[in-house]
């Protein structure tokens, strides 16, 4: 008997399914990695928007004459 067949007979219904992070939480490891990936990208997007907004308020707006900064 090969290793895959032995593993299949041992795991039963769980064979081929991804393991969960915590048994009582229905989130798999790949889902958690995807969540981390999306949150990191969202964080960088937020930081970029903050910088663009700051540059607009501090430099671009006053240079165009939209408002004055003291």
């Amino acid at each position: 008997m090969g290793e895959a067949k032995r593993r299949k007979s041992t795991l039963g219904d769980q064979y081929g399914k991804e393991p969960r992070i915590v048994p009582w939480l229905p989130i798999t490891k790949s889902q958690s990695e995807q969540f981390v990936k999306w949150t990191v990208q969202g964080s960088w997007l937020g930081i970029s928007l903050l910088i663009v907004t700051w540059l607009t308020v501090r430099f671009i707006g006053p240079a165009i004459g939209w408002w004055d900064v003291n």
Side-chain angles (χ1 to χ4, degrees):
M1 185 183 276
E3 181 64 27
K5 289 182 181 178
R6 192 173 308 120
R7 203 174 319 126
K8 186 174 182 178
S9 65
T10 303
L11 293 175
D13 290 340
Q14 296 298 320
Y15 181 74
K17 292 184 180 177
E18 275 191 88
R20 293 181 174 183
I21 296 174
V22 185
W24 51 268
L25 189 65
I27 297 175
T28 62
K29 288 185 178 184
S30 66
Q31 288 173 334
S32 67
E33 291 170 0
Q34 188 177 18
F35 174 76
V36 169
K37 183 182 112 178
W38 279 96
T39 54
V40 168
Q41 287 180 346
S43 299
W44 281 112
L45 178 66
I47 291 169
S48 302
L49 289 174
L50 178 69
I51 291 170
V52 167
T53 303
W54 181 80
L55 288 172
T56 301
V57 168
R58 182 65 182 99
F59 297 111
I60 298 171
I64 296 174
W66 289 345
W67 55 79
D68 293 330
V69 177
N70 295 332

